[in-house]
Amino acid sequence: MQDEIQAEKSKLEDSKRQSEAEVTRLAADRDGLQQQLTESNEKLANQERALEGIQADLQSEREAIFAFKAQAQEKSQRLAHLESEMDALREVAGIAAGGGKEGDMVSALLSRVAALESAAMEAHKERRNLHNALVDLRGNIR
């Protein structure tokens, strides 16, 4: 009977050692997993910061594109204006070369000035309406 007790005790001690080894192994696994989790969280935070930087760059690029488009539109309008002035100068040059009276030239110039002033007023109204629409859209976005 003493041998049986001794054998059972030996089995229990072996089982205890195996359990302690298993606990040690599981603790090491847990520590390794916690380290991986910490590293993954740090990588995620770094990637989120990088994404925020990229989004800020994207927004600034969008604003730059918008500014370039506005500048191109202004230059296009300026070109159209200069072309109309050139046409007017050609017209005046044609009247002067045609040998018309000074009164005819003055009346032609006055009518051309009136037409250009009218066109300028229309362009100003359109620009103002577009500006107001843009301000309204910006307000709606926010």
Side-chain angles (χ1 to χ4, degrees):
M1 173 120 161
Q2 190 72 2
D3 289 336
E4 290 176 11
I5 293 175
Q6 201 59 18
E8 193 63 31
K9 182 179 176 184
S10 177
K11 284 182 188 178
L12 289 174
E13 286 175 354
D14 286 343
S15 178
K16 179 181 176 185
R17 276 188 292 254
Q18 289 175 353
S19 295
E20 287 173 349
E22 182 71 16
V23 166
T24 304
R25 186 186 62 76
L26 290 174
D29 288 348
R30 183 196 66 215
D31 292 343
L33 290 173
Q34 284 178 337
Q35 180 65 28
Q36 288 177 353
L37 178 63
T38 302
E39 291 171 1
S40 295
N41 285 338
E42 289 174 2
K43 285 180 184 178
L44 178 62
N46 289 338
Q47 289 175 347
E48 286 174 346
R49 282 191 294 275
L51 177 62
E52 289 172 1
I54 290 170
Q55 286 174 337
D57 291 345
L58 177 62
Q59 181 63 30
S60 67
E61 290 298 322
R62 284 181 179 162
E63 290 171 359
I65 288 171
F66 181 75
F68 287 137
K69 284 182 180 180
Q71 190 178 30
Q73 184 177 4
E74 288 175 18
K75 289 187 185 268
S76 175
Q77 290 173 348
R78 178 74 176 141
L79 177 62
H81 176 71
L82 290 173
E83 286 174 346
S84 67
E85 283 183 5
M86 184 66 118
D87 290 341
L89 289 173
R90 285 184 184 138
E91 186 179 314
V92 169
I95 292 172
K101 296 180 184 176
E102 288 182 13
D104 291 339
M105 190 180 347
V106 169
S107 65
L109 288 173
L110 288 176
S111 68
R112 185 64 183 159
V113 167
L116 288 174
E117 285 178 345
S118 174
M121 289 299 288
E122 287 299 317
H124 178 72
K125 286 179 187 176
E126 182 179 349
R127 186 198 63 78
R128 196 71 199 144
N129 287 338
L130 290 172
H131 172 75
N132 289 340
L134 178 65
V135 169
D136 188 39
L137 287 172
R138 282 183 181 164
N140 289 342
I141 289 172
R142 292 177 187 171

Coordinates of all heavy atoms in Angstrom, one line a residue, residues 70-137:
A70 N -9.3 79.1 -60.9 CA -9.8 80.4 -60.8 C -8.9 81.4 -61.5 O -9.4 82.3 -62.3 CB -10.0 80.9 -59.3
Q71 N -7.6 81.2 -61.4 CA -6.6 82.0 -62.1 C -6.7 81.8 -63.6 O -6.7 82.8 -64.3 CB -5.2 81.7 -61.6 CG -4.2 82.6 -62.0 CD -2.8 82.2 -61.4 OE1 -2.5 81.0 -61.2 NE2 -2.0 83.2 -61.2
A72 N -6.9 80.6 -64.0 CA -7.1 80.3 -65.4 C -8.3 81.0 -66.0 O -8.3 81.6 -67.1 CB -7.1 78.8 -65.7
Q73 N -9.4 81.0 -65.2 CA -10.6 81.6 -65.6 C -10.5 83.1 -65.7 O -10.9 83.7 -66.7 CB -11.8 81.2 -64.7 CG -13.1 81.8 -65.2 CD -14.2 81.4 -64.2 OE1 -14.0 80.8 -63.2 NE2 -15.5 81.7 -64.6
E74 N -9.8 83.7 -64.8 CA -9.5 85.1 -64.8 C -8.7 85.5 -66.0 O -9.0 86.5 -66.7 CB -8.8 85.6 -63.5 CG -9.6 85.6 -62.3 CD -8.8 85.9 -61.0 OE1 -7.7 86.4 -61.2 OE2 -9.3 85.6 -60.0
K75 N -7.7 84.7 -66.3 CA -6.8 85.0 -67.5 C -7.6 84.8 -68.8 O -7.4 85.6 -69.7 CB -5.6 84.1 -67.5 CG -4.6 84.5 -66.4 CD -3.3 83.7 -66.4 CE -2.5 84.0 -65.2 NZ -1.6 85.1 -65.4
S76 N -8.5 83.8 -68.8 CA -9.3 83.6 -70.0 C -10.3 84.8 -70.2 O -10.4 85.3 -71.3 CB -10.2 82.4 -69.8 OG -11.1 82.2 -70.9
Q77 N -10.8 85.3 -69.1 CA -11.7 86.5 -69.2 C -10.9 87.7 -69.6 O -11.3 88.5 -70.5 CB -12.4 86.8 -67.9 CG -13.4 85.8 -67.5 CD -14.0 86.0 -66.1 OE1 -13.4 86.7 -65.3 NE2 -15.1 85.3 -65.8
R78 N -9.7 87.8 -69.1 CA -8.8 89.0 -69.5 C -8.5 88.9 -71.0 O -8.4 89.9 -71.7 CB -7.5 88.9 -68.6 CG -6.5 90.0 -68.9 CD -7.0 91.4 -68.4 NE -5.9 92.3 -68.7 CZ -6.1 93.5 -69.1 NH1 -7.4 94.0 -69.3 NH2 -5.1 94.3 -69.3
L79 N -8.2 87.7 -71.4 CA -7.9 87.5 -72.8 C -9.0 87.9 -73.7 O -8.9 88.6 -74.7 CB -7.5 86.0 -73.1 CG -7.2 85.7 -74.6 CD1 -6.0 86.5 -75.1 CD2 -6.9 84.2 -74.7
A80 N -10.2 87.5 -73.3 CA -11.4 87.8 -74.1 C -11.6 89.4 -74.1 O -12.0 89.9 -75.2 CB -12.7 87.2 -73.5
H81 N -11.3 90.0 -73.0 CA -11.5 91.4 -72.9 C -10.4 92.1 -73.8 O -10.8 93.0 -74.5 CB -11.3 91.9 -71.4 CG -11.3 93.4 -71.3 ND1 -12.4 94.1 -71.4 CD2 -10.3 94.2 -71.0 CE1 -12.1 95.4 -71.2 NE2 -10.8 95.5 -70.9
L82 N -9.2 91.6 -73.8 CA -8.2 92.2 -74.6 C -8.5 92.0 -76.1 O -8.2 92.9 -76.9 CB -6.8 91.6 -74.3 CG -6.2 92.0 -72.9 CD1 -4.9 91.2 -72.6 CD2 -6.0 93.5 -72.9
E83 N -9.0 90.8 -76.4 CA -9.4 90.6 -77.8 C -10.5 91.5 -78.3 O -10.4 92.0 -79.4 CB -9.8 89.1 -78.0 CG -8.7 88.1 -78.0 CD -9.1 86.7 -78.0 OE1 -10.3 86.4 -77.8 OE2 -8.3 85.8 -78.2
S84 N -11.4 91.8 -77.4 CA -12.5 92.7 -77.8 C -11.9 94.2 -77.9 O -12.3 94.9 -78.8 CB -13.6 92.7 -76.7 OG -13.2 93.2 -75.5
E85 N -11.0 94.5 -77.0 CA -10.3 95.8 -77.2 C -9.5 95.9 -78.5 O -9.6 96.9 -79.2 CB -9.4 96.1 -76.0 CG -10.1 96.5 -74.7 CD -9.1 96.8 -73.6 OE1 -7.8 96.8 -73.9 OE2 -9.5 97.0 -72.5
M86 N -8.9 94.8 -78.9 CA -8.1 94.8 -80.1 C -9.1 94.9 -81.3 O -8.8 95.6 -82.3 CB -7.4 93.4 -80.2 CG -6.5 93.4 -81.4 SD -5.2 94.6 -81.3 CE -3.8 93.6 -81.3
D87 N -10.2 94.2 -81.2 CA -11.2 94.4 -82.3 C -11.7 95.8 -82.4 O -11.8 96.3 -83.5 CB -12.4 93.4 -82.1 CG -12.0 92.0 -82.2 OD1 -11.0 91.7 -82.9 OD2 -12.8 91.1 -81.7
A88 N -11.9 96.5 -81.2 CA -12.3 97.8 -81.3 C -11.3 98.7 -81.9 O -11.6 99.7 -82.7 CB -12.6 98.3 -79.8
L89 N -10.0 98.5 -81.5 CA -8.9 99.3 -82.1 C -8.8 99.1 -83.6 O -8.6 100.0 -84.3 CB -7.6 98.9 -81.4 CG -7.4 99.4 -79.9 CD1 -6.2 98.9 -79.3 CD2 -7.5 100.9 -79.9
R90 N -9.0 97.8 -84.0 CA -8.9 97.6 -85.5 C -10.1 98.3 -86.2 O -9.9 98.8 -87.3 CB -9.0 96.1 -85.7 CG -7.8 95.3 -85.4 CD -7.9 93.9 -85.8 NE -6.6 93.2 -85.4 CZ -6.6 92.0 -84.8 NH1 -7.7 91.3 -84.6 NH2 -5.4 91.4 -84.5
E91 N -11.2 98.3 -85.5 CA -12.4 99.0 -86.1 C -12.1 100.5 -86.2 O -12.4 101.1 -87.2 CB -13.6 98.7 -85.2 CG -14.9 99.3 -85.7 CD -16.1 98.9 -84.8 OE1 -16.2 97.8 -84.3 OE2 -16.9 99.8 -84.5
V92 N -11.6 101.0 -85.1 CA -11.2 102.5 -85.2 C -10.2 102.7 -86.2 O -10.3 103.7 -87.0 CB -10.8 102.9 -83.8 CG1 -10.2 104.3 -83.8 CG2 -11.9 102.9 -82.8
A93 N -9.2 101.9 -86.3 CA -8.2 102.1 -87.3 C -8.8 102.0 -88.7 O -8.4 102.7 -89.6 CB -7.1 101.0 -87.1
G94 N -9.7 101.1 -88.9 CA -10.4 101.0 -90.2 C -11.2 102.2 -90.5 O -11.2 102.7 -91.6
I95 N -11.9 102.8 -89.5 CA -12.6 104.1 -89.7 C -11.7 105.2 -90.1 O -11.9 106.0 -91.0 CB -13.5 104.4 -88.5 CG1 -14.6 103.4 -88.3 CG2 -14.0 105.8 -88.6 CD1 -15.3 103.6 -87.0
A96 N -10.6 105.3 -89.3 CA -9.6 106.3 -89.6 C -9.0 106.2 -90.9 O -8.7 107.1 -91.7 CB -8.5 106.4 -88.5
A97 N -8.7 105.0 -91.3 CA -8.1 104.7 -92.6 C -9.1 104.9 -93.7 O -8.7 105.2 -94.9 CB -7.5 103.3 -92.7
G98 N -10.3 104.8 -93.4 CA -11.4 104.9 -94.5 C -11.6 106.4 -94.8 O -12.3 106.7 -95.8
G99 N -11.0 107.3 -94.1 CA -11.1 108.7 -94.5 C -12.4 109.3 -94.0 O -12.8 110.3 -94.6
G100 N -13.0 108.7 -93.0 CA -14.3 109.3 -92.5 C -14.1 110.6 -91.8 O -13.0 111.0 -91.5
K101 N -15.2 111.3 -91.7 CA -15.1 112.6 -90.9 C -14.8 112.3 -89.5 O -15.1 111.3 -88.9 CB -16.5 113.3 -91.1 CG -16.9 113.7 -92.5 CD -18.2 114.4 -92.4 CE -18.7 114.7 -93.8 NZ -20.0 115.3 -93.7
E102 N -14.3 113.4 -88.8 CA -14.0 113.3 -87.4 C -15.3 113.0 -86.6 O -15.3 112.3 -85.6 CB -13.3 114.5 -86.9 CG -11.9 114.7 -87.4 CD -11.2 115.9 -86.9 OE1 -11.8 116.5 -86.0 OE2 -10.2 116.3 -87.4
G103 N -16.4 113.6 -87.0 CA -17.6 113.4 -86.3 C -18.1 112.0 -86.4 O -18.6 111.4 -85.4
D104 N -17.9 111.3 -87.5 CA -18.3 109.9 -87.7 C -17.4 109.0 -86.8 O -17.8 108.1 -86.2 CB -18.1 109.5 -89.1 CG -19.1 110.1 -90.1 OD1 -20.2 110.5 -89.5 OD2 -18.9 110.1 -91.3
M105 N -16.1 109.4 -86.7 CA -15.1 108.6 -85.9 C -15.5 108.8 -84.4 O -15.5 107.8 -83.7 CB -13.7 109.1 -86.2 CG -12.7 108.2 -85.5 SD -10.9 108.5 -85.7 CE -10.8 109.7 -86.9
V106 N -15.8 110.0 -84.0 CA -16.2 110.2 -82.6 C -17.4 109.5 -82.3 O -17.5 108.8 -81.2 CB -16.3 111.7 -82.3 CG1 -16.9 112.0 -81.0 CG2 -15.0 112.4 -82.5
S107 N -18.4 109.5 -83.1 CA -19.7 108.8 -82.8 C -19.5 107.3 -82.8 O -20.0 106.6 -82.0 CB -20.8 109.2 -83.8 OG -20.5 108.7 -85.1
A108 N -18.6 106.8 -83.7 CA -18.3 105.4 -83.7 C -17.6 105.0 -82.4 O -17.9 103.9 -81.8 CB -17.5 105.0 -84.9
L109 N -16.7 105.8 -82.0 CA -15.9 105.5 -80.8 C -16.8 105.6 -79.6 O -16.8 104.8 -78.6 CB -14.8 106.5 -80.6 CG -13.6 106.3 -81.5 CD1 -12.6 107.4 -81.3 CD2 -12.9 105.0 -81.3
L110 N -17.7 106.6 -79.5 CA -18.7 106.7 -78.4 C -19.6 105.5 -78.3 O -19.9 105.0 -77.2 CB -19.5 108.0 -78.5 CG -18.7 109.3 -78.2 CD1 -19.5 110.5 -78.4 CD2 -18.1 109.3 -76.8
S111 N -20.1 105.0 -79.5 CA -20.9 103.9 -79.5 C -20.2 102.6 -79.0 O -20.7 101.8 -78.3 CB -21.6 103.6 -80.8 OG -20.6 103.3 -81.8
R112 N -18.9 102.5 -79.4 CA -18.1 101.4 -79.0 C -17.8 101.4 -77.5 O -17.9 100.4 -76.8 CB -16.8 101.4 -79.8 CG -15.9 100.2 -79.5 CD -16.5 98.9 -80.0 NE -15.7 97.8 -79.7 CZ -16.1 96.6 -79.6 NH1 -17.3 96.3 -79.8 NH2 -15.3 95.7 -79.3
V113 N -17.5 102.6 -77.0 CA -17.3 102.8 -75.5 C -18.6 102.4 -74.8 O -18.5 101.7 -73.8 CB -16.9 104.3 -75.2 CG1 -17.0 104.5 -73.7 CG2 -15.5 104.5 -75.7
A114 N -19.8 102.8 -75.3 CA -21.0 102.4 -74.6 C -21.2 100.9 -74.6 O -21.6 100.3 -73.6 CB -22.2 103.1 -75.3
A115 N -20.9 100.3 -75.7 CA -21.0 98.8 -75.8 C -20.1 98.1 -74.9 O -20.4 97.2 -74.2 CB -20.8 98.4 -77.3
L116 N -18.8 98.6 -74.8 CA -17.9 98.0 -73.9 C -18.3 98.2 -72.4 O -18.1 97.3 -71.6 CB -16.5 98.6 -74.2 CG -15.8 98.2 -75.5 CD1 -14.5 98.9 -75.7 CD2 -15.6 96.7 -75.4
E117 N -18.8 99.4 -72.1 CA -19.2 99.7 -70.7 C -20.4 98.7 -70.4 O -20.5 98.2 -69.3 CB -19.7 101.1 -70.6 CG -18.5 102.1 -70.5 CD -18.9 103.5 -70.3 OE1 -20.1 103.8 -70.6 OE2 -18.1 104.3 -70.0
S118 N -21.3 98.5 -71.3 CA -22.4 97.6 -71.1 C -21.9 96.2 -70.9 O -22.4 95.5 -70.0 CB -23.4 97.7 -72.3 OG -24.4 96.7 -72.1
A119 N -21.0 95.8 -71.7 CA -20.4 94.4 -71.5 C -19.7 94.3 -70.2 O -19.7 93.3 -69.6 CB -19.4 94.1 -72.7
A120 N -19.0 95.3 -69.8 CA -18.3 95.3 -68.5 C -19.3 95.2 -67.4 O -19.0 94.5 -66.4 CB -17.4 96.6 -68.4
M121 N -20.4 95.9 -67.4 CA -21.4 95.8 -66.4 C -22.0 94.4 -66.3 O -22.2 93.9 -65.2 CB -22.5 96.9 -66.6 CG -22.0 98.3 -66.4 SD -21.5 98.6 -64.7 CE -23.1 98.5 -63.9
E122 N -22.2 93.8 -67.5 CA -22.8 92.5 -67.5 C -21.8 91.5 -66.9 O -22.1 90.6 -66.1 CB -23.2 92.1 -68.9 CG -24.4 92.8 -69.5 CD -25.6 92.4 -68.7 OE1 -25.8 91.3 -68.3 OE2 -26.4 93.4 -68.4
A123 N -20.5 91.7 -67.3 CA -19.5 90.8 -66.8 C -19.3 90.9 -65.2 O -19.2 89.9 -64.5 CB -18.1 91.1 -67.4
H124 N -19.5 92.1 -64.8 CA -19.4 92.4 -63.3 C -20.6 91.7 -62.6 O -20.4 91.1 -61.5 CB -19.4 93.9 -63.0 CG -19.3 94.2 -61.6 ND1 -18.2 94.0 -60.8 CD2 -20.3 94.7 -60.7 CE1 -18.5 94.3 -59.5 NE2 -19.7 94.8 -59.5
K125 N -21.8 91.8 -63.2 CA -22.9 91.2 -62.6 C -22.7 89.7 -62.5 O -23.1 89.1 -61.5 CB -24.2 91.6 -63.4 CG -24.7 93.0 -63.1 CD -25.9 93.2 -64.0 CE -26.3 94.7 -63.9 NZ -27.5 94.9 -64.8
E126 N -22.3 89.1 -63.6 CA -22.1 87.7 -63.7 C -21.0 87.2 -62.7 O -21.2 86.3 -61.9 CB -21.7 87.2 -65.1 CG -21.5 85.7 -65.2 CD -21.1 85.3 -66.6 OE1 -21.2 86.1 -67.5 OE2 -20.8 84.1 -66.7
R127 N -19.9 88.0 -62.6 CA -18.9 87.7 -61.6 C -19.4 87.7 -60.2 O -19.1 86.9 -59.4 CB -17.7 88.6 -61.8 CG -16.5 88.2 -60.9 CD -15.5 89.4 -60.7 NE -16.1 90.5 -60.0 CZ -16.2 90.6 -58.7 NH1 -16.0 89.6 -57.9 NH2 -16.7 91.7 -58.1
R128 N -20.2 88.7 -59.9 CA -20.8 88.9 -58.6 C -21.7 87.7 -58.2 O -21.7 87.2 -57.1 CB -21.5 90.2 -58.5 CG -21.8 90.7 -57.1 CD -20.5 91.1 -56.4 NE -20.7 91.1 -55.0 CZ -19.9 90.7 -54.1 NH1 -18.7 90.4 -54.4 NH2 -20.2 90.7 -52.8
N129 N -22.5 87.3 -59.2 CA -23.4 86.2 -59.0 C -22.7 84.9 -58.7 O -23.0 84.1 -57.8 CB -24.4 86.0 -60.2 CG -25.4 87.1 -60.2 OD1 -25.8 87.7 -59.2 ND2 -26.0 87.4 -61.4
L130 N -21.6 84.7 -59.5 CA -20.8 83.5 -59.3 C -20.1 83.5 -57.9 O -20.0 82.5 -57.3 CB -19.7 83.4 -60.4 CG -20.3 83.0 -61.8 CD1 -19.2 83.1 -62.9 CD2 -20.9 81.6 -61.8
H131 N -19.6 84.7 -57.6 CA -19.0 84.8 -56.2 C -20.0 84.5 -55.1 O -19.7 83.8 -54.2 CB -18.4 86.3 -56.1 CG -17.9 86.5 -54.7 ND1 -16.8 86.0 -54.2 CD2 -18.5 87.2 -53.7 CE1 -16.6 86.4 -52.9 NE2 -17.6 87.1 -52.6
N132 N -21.2 85.1 -55.2 CA -22.2 84.8 -54.2 C -22.6 83.3 -54.2 O -22.8 82.7 -53.1 CB -23.4 85.6 -54.5 CG -23.2 87.1 -54.2 OD1 -22.3 87.5 -53.4 ND2 -24.0 88.0 -54.7
A133 N -22.7 82.7 -55.3 CA -23.0 81.3 -55.4 C -21.8 80.4 -54.7 O -22.1 79.5 -54.0 CB -23.2 80.8 -56.8
L134 N -20.6 80.8 -55.0 CA -19.5 80.1 -54.4 C -19.5 80.3 -52.9 O -19.3 79.3 -52.1 CB -18.1 80.7 -54.9 CG -16.9 80.1 -54.3 CD1 -16.8 78.6 -54.7 CD2 -15.7 80.8 -54.9
V135 N -19.7 81.5 -52.4 CA -19.8 81.7 -50.9 C -20.9 80.9 -50.3 O -20.8 80.3 -49.3 CB -20.0 83.2 -50.6 CG1 -20.3 83.4 -49.2 CG2 -18.7 83.9 -51.0
D136 N -22.1 80.8 -51.0 CA -23.2 80.0 -50.5 C -22.9 78.6 -50.5 O -23.2 77.9 -49.5 CB -24.4 80.3 -51.5 CG -25.7 79.7 -50.9 OD1 -25.9 79.7 -49.7 OD2 -26.5 79.2 -51.7
L137 N -22.2 78.1 -51.5 CA -21.8 76.6 -51.5 C -20.8 76.3 -50.4 O -20.9 75.3 -49.8 CB -21.2 76.3 -52.9 CG -22.2 76.2 -54.1 CD1 -21.4 76.0 -55.3 CD2 -23.2 75.0 -53.8

